[in-house]
Amino acid sequence: MAAGDVVTGGITVLAGDYIALRRQLGYRSPSQERALRAFARYLDQAGHDGPVPLEASLDWATSTASPDPCNPARRLTTVRGFLRHMSALDGATEVPAPGLLGPAGHRKPPHVYSDREIGDLLAATAGLAPAGGLRPHCYATLFGLLACTGLRICEALALTCGDVDLAGSVLTVRAGKRGRARLIPLHPSAVPPLREYAADRERRFGPPAGSDAFFRTDRSDRVSYNAANSTFIVLRRQLGWTAAGRARTPRVHDLRHRMVVRRIQAWHAQGADVDCKIAVLATYLGHVEVRDVYWYLPAVPELMSIIAGRFEAFAGSDPAGAS
């Protein structure tokens, strides 16, 4: 195709083809796909045809009602990949430069749960209805598993009974980010609570099939994300947890952050080579890039001492640093 040739079929069709291609490559992000389809509809409804000029992309990115000042930049960043794809096809679509509309946002520091907060959360699940039912036991086990393994909530809820090998002390995560599967070895202390929950579940509902969801309640054979998050919010309110005195209001996802921070702290206390361990931790967590784990070091106050200590060691060993 020569440069400047018009790509026919409508931007919406091309966006659909691009999304399908990314899914075949293992990329899947519902929020990004929704934004991309909205961008394509915007261009089609405006009667646009052919290569996409920069002005059109900027007009869409800035036509947002969100009060977040970073939202236009975030919207533009979301469609840059598609615009690069279009540019390769027609040779004339303009790809916006990174950071053209400023930063796409600032990632807020996570809340790192204390041992007492974890204990209070698990204790609070005992008050969930129905009293004496499976639901309290289910959520205590779920939140405890998130805190000790660092699983994403969606990964834990997608576990089937066949994925939970208590004899081998290993979980098979099949719903990882971008469709990646991985094995999660369990610490010996994590196995008894899982075994007790599995036995309680079997007493109430009989032996499960391997394809049945591992986490279920009295009324539902599978716990949804909305149900789990809503239950957590109810417990958070009961416990009086707010953003006051914390980096942010505690979230269920912060259970994953706690595991990462405590693990890095433990390695540092043991004198381990944290840099070598980071790559292992990234694989365990299912991170696509190792740098996603390094983000914790400057973002979490509890880990800043590690950075300070490493800098002091570096400066002390470098003659130029002493000047």
Side-chain angles (χ1 to χ4, degrees), residues 163-216:
D163 294 332
V164 181
D165 180 3
L166 297 179
S169 300
V170 64
L171 304 177
T172 300
V173 175
R174 306 183 191 277
K177 199 169 186 178
R178 297 183 181 175
R180 288 178 170 85
R182 67 188 191 279
L183 299 178
I184 300 294
L186 293 170
H187 189 274
S189 63
V191 176
L194 290 171
R195 183 175 288 118
E196 291 171 9
Y197 163 73
D200 187 13
R201 169 201 166 112
E202 185 168 341
R203 281 195 299 271
R204 298 171 187 271
F205 300 100
S211 59
D212 289 346
F214 183 71
F215 289 107
R216 65 156 301 160

Side-chain angles (χ1 to χ4, degrees), residues 274-308:
V274 176
D275 284 325
C276 290
K277 296 287 190 180
I278 287 290
V280 177
L281 183 58
T283 301
Y284 178 90
L285 293 168
H287 278 309
V288 177
E289 299 184 26
V290 175
R291 67 182 181 183
D292 291 334
V293 182
Y294 274 109
W295 167 79
Y296 286 94
L297 293 175
V300 179
E302 288 88 342
L303 298 182
M304 283 298 293
S305 61
I306 294 178
I307 295 180

